[in-house]
Amino acid sequence: MEGLAKFPPRPTGAGDMFQLFRDGAPRTRASLVSETGQSRSTVAARIDALRSVGLLVPAGEASSTGGRPPSTFAFDPRSRIVLGVDLGATHARIAVTDLAGEPLTHLDEPLAIADGPEHVLSWVAEAGDKLVAQAGRHRDELAGIGIGLPGPVDHTTGRPVNPPIMPGWDGTDVPAELHRRLGAPVMVDNDVNIMALGEHRTIAPDVDDLLFVKVATGIGAGVIMDGHLRRGAQGAAGDLGHVTVPGAGDIPCRCGNTGCLEAVAGGAALVEQLRRAGATVATTADIVALVRSGDVAAGQAVRQAGRDVGTVLAASVSLLNPSRIVIGGILAGAGEHLMAGIREVVYQRSLPLATQHLRITPSGAGAQAGVVGAAVLVIEQYLAPASVESLINAKEDS
């Protein structure tokens, strides 16, 4: 009937009931009876089932209004661990987290994605094993492995698809290769998507409409809309780096087209531009160091890169109307030069209604956004109602 308020359905199975515990608050059997509308015996049976798979633990006693204090139960995020992996063009970050996405130990190292899948995935497996041991845990405690790659990924298969900066990776069955090495389920996504997930989970959980823009060797965006990551039909949403920049002309891009944003404002493009001007630079990190040292030419180049990024983002703002744009990636380390260029163009070219409450900020999660987001990718699936039910059924059948 029209005009009647719609209420969310009450939890039914144990997996549904478990979702109530994910806020971290302890609950009593009586409070669960009230929240779920289920009988006390049903609630007790489901608590026992969730305890049997390690997801709930006793959490002490609640205050009593008379009589024996009731027992409380809470989510135990340390019951299993997750391996989060963030691979960039020239770096690798890897972390062991608990089921709340809290890093227990982590490792950052230079690693060239262009060295190919055999070398890179072998490093991931070896580093992952070392970190699991360093955290005092065992490989059989892994709930799964989440990994972000710096290129287009078919999310349904976890395979890279014609990635411009990943020679030798096209079509590689990354989930199968890592599962063979580490023996745990594997989920793969684009690196910017996992950064968006990490930023949303750790820094901006109340922001439902957010664009996370990575400006590094490549340029891309992770799109959070209505509180959920949006990948598009084939997982290619947010590929800002290969949008044409007005006036960029015939500058060639490694994707095969010309005039792409990445070819104009990406790290490799800025390195080449500054080299031609006489600067001694080899990497994007060198550019950031020059800007921080006060080098005028480097500062001007980064600010113009910000304007070019802003030109493409202005169209995105008009199309998607986010309330927050977060800028991450190594070039974000150049500080206000990049941010000022982006803000200058976005606020100038977007409609006032779209920018009325828009905030453009540097990443709050920083370098950890990717590994946390990769872990979240696994956690959301592992702790989903249907997955929890499967854990319980497997335990009962064993």
Side-chain angles (χ1 to χ4, degrees), residues 18-70:
F18 171 72
Q19 306 307 309
L20 297 173
F21 286 93
R22 293 187 61 185
D23 63 3
R27 286 171 167 80
T28 65
R29 293 183 180 88
S31 68
L32 289 167
V33 167
S34 175
E35 286 185 82
T36 65
Q38 296 166 357
S39 68
R40 188 174 180 85
S41 60
T42 298
V43 165
R46 287 176 177 159
I47 287 175
D48 289 342
L50 292 167
R51 290 184 65 188
S52 74
V53 294
L55 292 177
L56 291 189
V57 291
E61 296 178 335
S63 57
S64 174
T65 57
R68 183 178 177 180

Side-chain angles (χ1 to χ4, degrees), residues 21-392:
F21 286 93
R22 293 187 61 185
D23 63 3
R27 286 171 167 80
T28 65
R29 293 183 180 88
S31 68
L32 289 167
V33 167
S34 175
E35 286 185 82
T36 65
Q38 296 166 357
S39 68
R40 188 174 180 85
S41 60
T42 298
V43 165
R46 287 176 177 159
I47 287 175
D48 289 342
L50 292 167
R51 290 184 65 188
S52 74
V53 294
L55 292 177
L56 291 189
V57 291
E61 296 178 335
S63 57
S64 174
T65 57
R68 183 178 177 180
S71 299
T72 65
F73 301 89
F75 171 36
D76 181 13
R78 295 181 68 92
S79 61
R80 299 294 293 272
I81 55 173
V82 176
L83 199 62
V85 185
D86 173 23
L87 298 179
T90 58
H91 77 267
R93 297 186 179 94
I94 185 168
V96 175
T97 81
D98 62 17
L99 289 178
E102 285 293 322
L104 306 178
T105 184
H106 66 90
L107 174 68
D108 295 358
E109 281 194 11
L111 184 70
I113 200 75
D115 286 345
E118 178 63 32
H119 174 77
V120 171
L121 296 180
S122 293
W123 179 90
V124 169
E126 292 172 10
D129 262 338
K130 290 177 183 176
L131 283 183
V132 168
Q134 186 176 313
R137 308 298 288 263
H138 302 282
R139 190 194 286 185
D140 58 9
E141 295 179 83
L142 276 171
I145 302 158
I147 180 168
L149 299 177
V153 173
D154 183 337
H155 180 66
T156 60
T157 65
R159 295 172 184 254
V161 181
N162 296 319
I165 63 172
M166 299 172 63
W169 285 81
D170 184 33
T172 299
D173 193 347
V174 176
E177 290 296 321
L178 273 182
H179 183 270
R180 179 174 63 82
R181 288 172 166 88
L182 291 172
V186 180
M187 297 185 70
V188 187
D189 210 330
N190 176 272
D191 62 342
V192 191
N193 282 345
I194 64 168
M195 288 178 171
L197 282 174
E199 186 81 17
H200 185 245
R201 170 62 70 90
T202 60
I203 304 298
D206 298 327
V207 179
D208 288 338
D209 302 291
L210 176 150
L211 293 183
F212 185 100
V213 182
K214 178 186 177 183
V215 188
T217 303
I219 300 173
V223 183
I224 304 285
M225 288 285 125
D226 301 319
H228 299 282
L229 181 65
R230 305 300 184 188
R231 298 183 175 89
Q234 271 74 48
D239 199 356
L240 295 182
H242 300 287
V243 174
T244 301
V245 178
D250 58 357
I251 299 174
C253 180
R254 70 184 92 201
C255 74
N257 289 323
T258 59
C260 294
L261 177 62
E262 185 177 301
V264 175
L270 296 186
V271 166
E272 182 59 27
Q273 176 186 334
L274 288 169
R275 274 180 175 172
R276 289 197 303 266
T280 304
V281 290
T283 66
T284 310
D286 293 338
I287 296 173
V288 173
L290 278 180
V291 173
R292 288 178 172 173
S293 71
D295 186 277
V296 174
Q300 289 174 341
V302 170
R303 183 161 186 144
Q304 181 56 47
R307 293 188 186 103
D308 292 328
V309 172
T311 298
V312 173
L313 278 179
S316 302
V317 167
S318 297
L319 182 67
L320 299 173
N321 189 206
S323 60
R324 179 86 59 88
I325 294 176
V326 177
I327 309 299
I330 190 167
L331 266 179
E336 280 304 305
H337 290 277
L338 183 72
M339 299 297 298
I342 292 173
R343 291 183 180 121
E344 174 187 331
V345 178
V346 169
Y347 288 120
Q348 179 184 16
R349 296 197 178 185
S350 300
L351 290 173
L353 180 60
T355 57
Q356 184 177 8
H357 301 295
L358 174 65
R359 295 179 60 203
I360 303 175
T361 64
S363 170
Q368 295 303 309
V371 289
V372 170
V376 169
L377 198 66
V378 172
I379 292 165
E380 290 304 311
Q381 176 164 300
Y382 184 78
L383 297 181
S387 299
V388 172
E389 295 287 352
S390 295
L391 286 174
I392 292 170

